[in-house]
Amino acid sequence: MTADLPAAPLQIVLAWHDWLDLFAHYLVISLMSVGGTIATTAEMHRYLVEQHGWLTQTQFNDSIAIAQAAPGPNVLFVALMGWNVGMNAGSYAAAAFGVIVTMVGALLPSSVLMLLAANWGHRNRELRLVRAFKQGMAPLVIAMLVSTGLILGSANGNVATDWPLYTVSAVATLLIWRTRIHLLWLLAAGALLGALGFL
């Protein structure tokens, strides 16, 4: 069995307008993050990996995996993506700047909007419109989370080789939905399948 060699790191050049564009994009993404920032990963992937090529698929997936495994809020993956963009631009200073750009862009608008909306929603919680809005947002949030799962599950972009990932994801989804099996047991089973080389 031969081990795959790690890919050469990306080397990109970012001008000031690229940083400004990154910041503006995260400002917009922030306002789309209904259900949490993790729900916007499909758009981040499109922008960072597919459109600009500032991150590789592996860097994108690793940013999410590391942040989700680490203690703390799940928004940390945004900081790791900013860090990786900066490191690909060639320096620790650019990496630190990337963290600031992405985190401030991702947190500022949604935080202000949520503060204002939560206060208004609490004051008007009995209005039919407010109740309808909350119920109407549920399918949107679920669809955004499903798109995140599809992006993360297509690590190699080849259905012929990725089918075990899709199968495990579908089985885990059904088990979570239909049984009372604790999520940690499913995570342990997935880790064991990965360690044994099935995934």
Side-chain angles (χ1 to χ4, degrees):
M1 184 182 291
T2 61
D4 292 334
L5 295 175
L10 278 179
Q11 294 181 354
I12 59 176
V13 177
L14 296 177
W16 67 269
H17 58 84
D18 292 321
W19 288 109
L20 187 60
D21 186 51
L22 179 63
F23 179 69
H25 196 76
Y26 271 84
L27 287 173
V28 172
I29 284 176
S30 175
L31 296 175
M32 291 175 31
S33 62
V34 177
T37 310
I38 194 73
T40 61
T41 55
E43 174 55 21
M44 290 181 202
H45 182 271
R46 184 200 64 77
Y47 180 78
L48 295 171
V49 177
E50 295 173 13
Q51 182 178 340
H52 290 289
W54 291 341
L55 292 180
T56 64
Q57 178 71 39
T58 301
Q59 287 176 317
F60 185 86
N61 286 352
D62 288 351
S63 295
I64 294 173
I66 291 168
Q68 295 301 306
N74 77 3
V75 75
L76 292 176
F77 77 92
V78 172
L80 285 173
M81 287 181 190
W83 177 267
N84 284 325
V85 167
M87 287 304 290
N88 289 342
S91 72
Y92 288 109
F97 188 64
V99 170
I100 292 167
V101 165
T102 56
M103 287 299 283
V104 171
L107 294 174
L108 184 65
S110 59
S111 297
V112 171
L113 179 63
M114 286 311 303
L115 179 63
L116 296 172
N119 286 333
W120 182 86
H122 183 70
R123 283 192 315 269
N124 298 293
R125 65 185 169 273
E126 298 303 321
L127 290 178
R128 185 177 191 186
L129 180 65
V130 172
R131 290 193 320 254
F133 177 78
K134 288 180 181 179
Q135 290 176 345
M137 290 305 291
L140 175 67
V141 170
I142 291 169
M144 291 176 81
L145 290 173
V146 167
S147 71
T148 297
L150 289 173
I151 292 289
L152 295 177
S154 62
N156 299 322
N158 185 351
V159 176
T161 59
D162 289 342
W163 69 266
L165 295 173
Y166 294 124
T167 303
V168 168
S169 297
V171 169
T173 300
L174 288 173
L175 288 172
I176 291 168
W177 180 32
R178 291 296 196 180
T179 69
R180 300 184 70 85
I181 294 175
H182 197 282
L183 186 60
L184 289 178
W185 288 113
L186 297 175
L187 289 171
L192 179 63
L193 289 172
L196 294 175
F198 292 111
L199 301 178

